[in-house]
Amino acid sequence: MRIAIIAHLKFPISEPFAGGLEMHTHMLARSLRERGHDVTLFASTRSDPALGVEAICDETSLLETGIAEANDVAFFREHHAYLGLMTELRSRSFDVIHNNSLHYLPVSMAETLATPVLTTLHTPPFCWLESGVRLNRGPMTYVAVSQATADMWSHVARTDHVIPNGIDLTHFPYQNVASETPYLVWYGRIVPEKGLDYAIDAARLAGLPLRIAGPISNQSYFDETIAPRLGANVEYVGHLSHRELARLVGGAIAALCTPRWEEPYGLVVAEALACGTPVAAFRRGGVPALLNEDCGVLAQPDDVASLAASALAASVLSRSACRAHAERYCDAQRMVDEYEAVYRQLALASVVAHEPQTAPLIASVA
């Protein structure tokens, strides 16, 4: 099939990934190309050229203009890029267009295209994307990354499919034994909504060292809330490559997941389980659906004492059970299979809809 994937433009779709959405988009495009599909990825500059990238914008978050209107400059640059893309797609030939962005224009302008469009809902509703969904008057297929996400969007849009995200299990190899020196791990984008400060306080309460990895996406949060908490067995090791990250996560006795918001899926949970590392997580959003009593322990949201107790309980769970659970429920190939099935369904329906309807006319004349 000829498949167009629309990425979001905040960061390049390349390693080291800025977050789960970048990793998901990269893996989906790569897997589809490996299966023989003709994939074009519309993304920002510096994205991985092996994915069939057509760059439509510079990374908007990296354009530092040094003026008070910087956010508006980025906003309008992104707006212009998507507006131009959606206009261009009217004359491009694809079997299906997969909107993997978080922007309102690919949704609101989908009705102007003859090609069927699928939009994956990666986040809870927020004003801009919700506005685009409400304004769309044409056919649109919505996929949610978890049932929790589908439920959060139910007042705005009907979700046609729930396709949980997946991970490349080969990128997160199983480690049957943790490091000789026990430690907990927390990794992800360092922003307030990911709740790293809770993880640090819980690790200290549990009396265990904590290793932290990920990009500093909110410098003021890091400087004001995280940096003062570092030291005394709490170490920030930087933004790591996949290989380095897998080694760090696999060596931990447990991984902490501390969202302050309704986490739509929880890629870090799937990745930790693939490495054989049990998870202690706040009971929020789509995270509980990824865990059972064999591989994780759920804590009360925003409760440091509950998280500390959960970390200690998770640290003694079976590592082989964690890996088995990841293989059963978190494999990217399962996810790609499901998206392929939806693509074929949409492409076939589009072909049928555009075929000449001669038989009914003949019958009516007869």
Side-chain angles (χ1 to χ4, degrees):
M1 287 181 285
R2 294 161 299 172
I3 303 167
I5 299 178
I6 304 174
H8 81 145
L9 303 176
K10 299 296 184 189
F11 301 97
I13 309 302
S14 62
E15 285 196 60
F17 300 117
L21 182 53
E22 291 80 13
M23 189 197 73
H24 166 84
T25 304
H26 189 282
M27 181 176 53
L28 178 63
R30 176 172 53 81
S31 298
L32 289 168
R33 291 175 71 84
E34 288 173 352
R35 294 185 181 202
H37 299 292
D38 182 359
V39 178
T40 302
L41 177 65
F42 295 100
S44 63
T45 55
R46 304 187 194 179
S47 293
D48 187 348
L51 303 178
V53 171
E54 288 191 25
I56 60 173
C57 187
D58 289 332
E59 306 94 301
T60 55
S61 73
L62 302 182
L63 298 177
E64 300 294 341
T65 62
I67 58 175
E69 294 83 6
N71 288 336
D72 287 343
V73 170
F75 172 85
F76 283 113
R77 190 182 293 271
E78 195 170 76
H79 175 95
H80 179 76
Y82 282 123
L83 181 63
L85 172 62
M86 296 305 292
T87 301
E88 180 188 344
L89 285 174
R90 297 177 192 173
S91 60
R92 296 288 292 270
S93 179
F94 291 104
D95 295 309
V96 65
I97 297 169
H98 185 168
N99 172 33
N100 215 34
S101 76
L102 304 177
H103 203 269
Y104 57 90
L105 279 178
V107 179
S108 61
M109 293 183 67
E111 63 190 83
T112 67
L113 306 180
T115 306
V117 181
L118 173 157
T119 289
T120 296
L121 300 171
H122 289 278
T123 69
F126 61 93
C127 61
W128 290 106
L129 185 54
E130 184 172 335
S131 173
V133 171
R134 290 184 183 278
L135 288 174
N136 177 55
R137 296 292 180 267
M140 172 65 76
T141 298
Y142 290 105
V143 173
V145 298
S146 66
Q147 186 57 52
T149 304
D151 293 343
M152 286 185 275
W153 278 96
S154 61
H155 69 291
V156 183
R158 185 195 71 189
T159 299
D160 302 282
H161 306 274
V162 173
I163 301 180
N165 287 334
I167 61 169
D168 186 339
L169 295 176
T170 64
H171 283 189
F172 292 91
Y174 173 55
Q175 294 182 218
N176 65 333
V177 178
S179 170
E180 290 184 5
T181 303
Y183 64 88
L184 302 173
V185 68
W186 184 101
Y187 66 105
R189 290 185 303 114
I190 299 178
V191 292
E193 60 266 28
K194 295 294 185 179
L196 171 55
D197 50 302
Y198 286 133
I200 295 174
D201 293 347
R204 285 224 166 91
L205 185 59
L208 289 167
L210 178 67
R211 304 290 179 265
I212 300 163
I216 300 173
S217 300
N218 186 312
Q219 190 66 52
S220 61
Y221 169 68
F222 182 85
D223 293 341
E224 297 167 14
T225 305
I226 301 307
R229 285 176 160 86
L230 298 179
N233 281 330
V234 176
E235 180 185 2
Y236 173 57
V237 299
H239 189 194
L240 306 179
S241 69
H242 247 108
R243 184 186 301 274
E244 295 169 324
L245 182 61
R247 191 179 303 116
L248 176 74
V249 174
I253 59 172
L256 304 182
C257 180
T258 53
R260 275 191 167 89
W261 68 324
E262 296 303 306
E263 188 74 49
Y265 175 72
L267 278 174
V268 297
V269 173
E271 293 164 357
L273 295 178
C275 294
T277 303
V279 176
F282 285 153
R283 187 188 301 273
R284 274 208 169 111
V287 171
L290 287 171
L291 296 171
N292 63 22
E293 64 277 6
D294 296 326
C295 61
V297 181
L298 295 171
Q300 292 303 311
D302 307 333
D303 188 327
V304 170
S306 178
L307 182 62
S310 296
L312 292 170
S315 69
V316 298
L317 294 177
S318 166
R319 298 182 70 86
S320 62
C322 293
R323 176 67 184 195
H325 189 80
E327 291 174 347
R328 192 173 300 116
Y329 297 106
C330 306
D331 188 358
Q333 296 311 307
R334 179 269 313 155
M335 178 194 75
V336 179
D337 288 344
E338 294 185 40
Y339 274 118
E340 266 189 323
V342 176
Y343 295 160
R344 290 195 178 97
Q345 176 186 344
L346 292 176
L348 179 59
S350 179
V351 169
V352 171
H354 290 91
E355 284 181 346
Q357 302 295 313
T358 55
L361 292 175
I362 295 172
S364 64
V365 170

